[in-house]
Amino acid sequence: METRKFEARKLLKDRRFWVASFIIAWAAALQGHMMWLQRQDSFKQKFGDLNPESDNEKAADKQ
């Protein structure tokens, strides 16, 4: 049991462990963000822009 505590403490002090954990967390967050953007795009393609006033403002700005 003592050897496992020692190994866990050694692992938590190891910088490579924290770098690898950070990279894994960053990659998971990036993948989640990309999935969210994809859902937003598919929603816009399916239902269009739900704020018609923004189209009118854009058209007025162009004139």
Side-chain angles (χ1 to χ4, degrees):
M1 188 71 171
E2 289 297 320
T3 58
R4 288 188 180 186
K5 284 186 179 180
F6 177 72
E7 289 175 7
R9 287 182 185 171
K10 185 177 178 183
L11 180 65
L12 291 175
K13 290 182 181 179
D14 191 8
R15 181 175 285 182
R16 291 178 295 173
F17 170 76
W18 293 109
V19 171
S21 298
F22 175 77
I23 290 172
I24 291 169
W26 176 80
L30 180 63
Q31 183 177 8
H33 178 66
M34 296 302 289
M35 290 172 62
W36 181 79
L37 287 176
Q38 189 177 23
R39 288 178 65 196
Q40 296 296 314
D41 288 342
S42 66
F43 182 85
K44 285 181 183 178
Q45 287 177 356
K46 188 173 184 179
F47 297 108
D49 192 6
L50 296 180
N51 191 1
E53 294 173 3
S54 65
D55 291 338
N56 293 337
E57 291 173 3
K58 289 179 186 175
D61 290 340
K62 288 182 181 178
Q63 292 176 356

